[in-house]
Amino acid sequence: MLTMAFMALSSQAEIPSWIHTGRYADSNKELQSAENKGDRVIFIGNSITEGWVRHHPQFFEANRNFHGRGISGETTCQFLLRFRNDVLDNKPAVVVINGGTNDIALNTGDYNEDYTLGNIMSMAELAKANGIKVILTSVLPVKNYGWRPEITDAPEKIGSLNRRIKAYANENGFTYVDYYTPMVVEGGALNPSYSNDGVHPTPYGYDVMEAIIVPAIKAELAR
């Protein structure tokens, strides 16, 4: 029965739509057909990563081998399910993983910190096994999710998850990038100078993130 279940999922047409494995299919084909892969960097994430490409395209234009693979609303389990399609098969030199906020926002069910961290760990270990350098990033600060007003402890959950991501990175030789500290204000909120809704960065917020991530990427490429 297990074999039959895997066979049933082998057809792209039968993969559940919420996995989103085909979202970047055309872009991935272009990357995989390129003769010179160079120092390719893939950013995998949710709407924060997707919005980065949309709202601050000049960052990716200036760094032409940086490629966004963000999908709005996704949680880390969805990242993991499309990790081969959107990261491994593109053979980047570095992957930047930013996820967890939508897990806390209950986008795909109850939040379990161990499970979310496990998804991040699995992606990092898959990348390492395929010769890809890993940068793990903090979850951005959030005080309240507008679409989930019943969640009143987001700052505490984000702080706990960030501490564990950092510890895991340090214990396993991965780079950890802290977006949280320079973007947080009192009460665990995202600085309103960097966001219009308390969750997603504005171009000014992306300026802050870019100033932090670029040196980290350069250091990884130089290792």
Side-chain angles (χ1 to χ4, degrees):
M1 292 295 292
L2 185 62
T3 302
M4 291 298 292
F6 278 115
M7 287 176 64
L9 285 173
S10 66
S11 169
Q12 180 70 34
E14 296 184 22
I15 295 175
S17 60
W18 60 270
I19 299 179
H20 303 143
T21 53
R23 171 66 178 277
Y24 290 101
D26 291 341
S27 298
N28 288 340
K29 286 179 182 177
E30 290 181 13
L31 287 185
Q32 292 159 24
S33 64
E35 292 184 7
N36 183 13
K37 294 179 174 56
D39 290 330
R40 181 175 294 164
V41 179
I42 299 289
F43 291 70
I44 189 166
N46 47 48
S47 57
I48 293 167
T49 299
E50 185 176 20
W52 202 338
V53 178
R54 184 185 305 118
H55 299 301
H56 228 216
Q58 59 269 36
F59 175 65
F60 292 87
E61 291 165 3
N63 300 279
R64 292 191 178 278
N65 225 354
F66 290 4
H67 305 276
R69 292 295 182 268
I71 297 180
S72 179
E74 279 203 342
T75 59
T76 55
C77 66
Q78 291 167 298
F79 296 7
L80 182 57
L81 288 167
R82 63 183 176 91
F83 198 73
R84 180 166 298 280
N85 299 67
D86 288 343
V87 179
L88 302 183
D89 289 348
N90 289 322
K91 302 188 186 308
V94 177
V95 61
V96 180
I97 302 171
N98 176 251
T101 197
N102 286 333
D103 300 50
I104 294 168
L106 311 179
N107 278 22
T108 51
D110 292 342
Y111 175 60
N112 182 308
E113 183 179 272
D114 291 338
Y115 183 56
T116 296
L117 181 66
N119 293 332
I120 293 169
M121 292 166 59
S122 293
M123 288 185 281
E125 289 159 17
L126 281 167
K128 181 178 179 180
N130 283 271
I132 300 167
K133 297 175 180 179
V134 175
I135 297 176
L136 300 177
T137 69
S138 68
V139 178
L140 271 62
V142 175
K143 185 172 178 62
N144 301 109
Y145 295 101
W147 66 97
R148 284 287 189 180
E150 69 272 23
I151 299 173
T152 59
D153 58 352
E156 291 78 14
K157 288 176 177 175
I158 290 170
S160 178
L161 180 59
N162 282 343
R163 287 189 291 274
R164 292 186 70 186
I165 295 171
K166 182 178 180 179
Y168 169 75
N170 290 341
E171 289 166 4
N172 291 274
F174 299 127
T175 294
Y176 175 77
V177 165
D178 178 16
Y179 296 136
Y180 181 93
T181 301
M183 301 183 78
V184 70
V185 293
E186 186 176 356
L190 180 56
N191 190 326
S193 297
Y194 303 143
S195 177
N196 293 325
D197 64 0
V199 177
H200 301 93
T202 61
Y204 296 111
Y206 288 123
D207 282 338
V208 174
M209 295 168 67
E210 289 162 14
I212 299 168
I213 196 63
V214 168
I217 291 171
K218 288 181 177 178
E220 279 298 322
L221 291 174
R223 284 174 61 176

